[in-house]
Amino acid sequence: DAGITQSPRYKITETGRQVTLMCHQTWSHSYMFWYRQDLGHGLRLIYYSAAADITDKGEVPDGYVVSRSKTENFPLTLESATRSQTSVYFCASSQTSGTADTQYFGPGTRLTVL
Amino acid sequence: DAKTTQPNSMESNEEEPVHLPCNHSTISGTDYIHWYRQLPSQGPEYVIHGLTSNVNNRMASLAIAEDRKSSTLILHRATLRDAAVYYCILRTYYGQNFVFGPGTRLSVLP
């Protein structure tokens, strides 16, 4: 069982370029999330989605765009990458938003913006 | 948001039990206590969660204080593979995400 996968695992890009990070889950979970993790910070939520075609902002959404046309996919796009977006990005999914529910995380994408 | 406080780091010897504490004095009655861990270069991994009663699973045990203002994650026999950052998280009713603090970095010595 694949679970939740992210691609690419590593990406180097230049300032101003558009970059899309992919996330795919095989559980048909309703909720999907994008976090970023920087040195000195915990994980911070960028965007989340409660279902296909339903998305909402998290704590740090500026500079990012998301879409969710299919339940299993939740791509994250940096429309014009900046050096401050150098980070490790984690995708996660959960069946519900209930307080007892578990989030399952992908392996992460390490993005470097030069 | 309800917050948690954990020690920055802890050390343990291999094959000994480890008790990882977490304080959450502002916890509300409906907040679940979740524990996740993050191994080096990996995404966070679910460990255990509970509301009021102590919980056990194949990975660990969770001991919750009677007043719920603190909890302890117990690894019964630490292995080298258990070296990770452990996060104690309160899951609030209205929150859509998990709020990760800095966690406790556990080192396991052979």
Side-chain angles (χ1 to χ4, degrees):
Chain A
D1 58 349
I4 185 163
T5 57
Q6 294 183 235
S7 62
R9 293 295 313 279
Y10 302 91
K11 176 74 176 177
I12 299 174
T13 190
E14 294 178 340
T15 301
R17 290 191 180 265
Q18 183 179 82
V19 177
T20 296
L21 309 183
M22 303 302 293
C23 178
H24 176 80
Q25 52 107 353
T26 59
W27 296 304
S28 298
H29 282 170
S30 297
Y31 283 81
M32 295 187 74
F33 307 83
W34 274 106
Y35 294 87
R36 61 178 288 174
Q37 185 173 36
D38 306 299
L39 279 175
H41 289 92
L43 278 78
R44 292 182 291 174
L45 183 68
I46 305 170
Y47 269 95
Y48 70 95
S49 168
D53 297 322
I54 301 175
T55 62
D56 207 347
K57 296 178 181 178
E59 181 186 354
V60 288
D62 293 344
Y64 303 95
V65 174
V66 293
S67 62
R68 195 165 176 210
S69 57
K70 293 184 178 181
T71 299
E72 61 267 28
N73 296 324
F74 191 37
L76 176 74
T77 298
L78 289 65
E79 292 192 304
S80 178
T82 65
R83 290 201 177 106
S84 65
Q85 292 177 309
T86 292
S87 187
V88 181
Y89 291 85
F90 291 101
C91 179
S93 72
S94 65
Q95 180 56 45
T96 73
S97 64
T99 54
D101 208 355
T102 299
Q103 284 193 8
Y104 298 90
F105 287 80
T109 294
R110 184 175 295 274
L111 175 67
T112 301
V113 182
L114 302 177
Chain B
D1 289 343
K3 301 216 180 288
T4 63
T5 304
Q6 300 176 252
N8 290 333
S9 62
M10 292 184 64
E11 267 188 6
S12 173
N13 293 319
E14 197 176 9
E15 298 188 4
E16 289 187 355
V18 182
H19 291 235
L20 296 164
C22 180
N23 288 320
H24 29 77
S25 58
T26 60
I27 192 171
S28 71
T30 56
D31 292 348
Y32 271 80
I33 303 160
H34 289 252
W35 283 83
Y36 280 69
R37 71 180 186 181
Q38 189 171 20
L39 302 171
S41 300
Q42 294 189 24
E45 173 188 31
Y46 169 77
V47 177
I48 201 166
H49 75 281
L51 182 62
T52 57
S53 303
N54 294 343
V55 184
N56 299 297
N57 66 21
R58 63 174 180 81
M59 288 182 71
S61 296
L62 176 60
I64 301 173
E66 195 169 335
D67 63 6
R68 300 187 73 235
K69 293 185 176 182
S70 65
S71 61
T72 302
L73 178 70
I74 302 166
L75 306 179
H76 296 286
R77 284 181 77 233
T79 69
L80 297 178
R81 194 191 174 279
D82 291 322
V85 178
Y86 287 79
Y87 299 99
C88 170
I89 301 163
L90 295 185
R91 191 81 164 92
T92 60
Y93 178 76
Y94 48 82
Q96 292 297 346
N97 61 309
F98 286 81
V99 179
F100 285 81
T104 296
R105 183 174 297 277
L106 175 66
S107 301
V108 180
L109 306 176

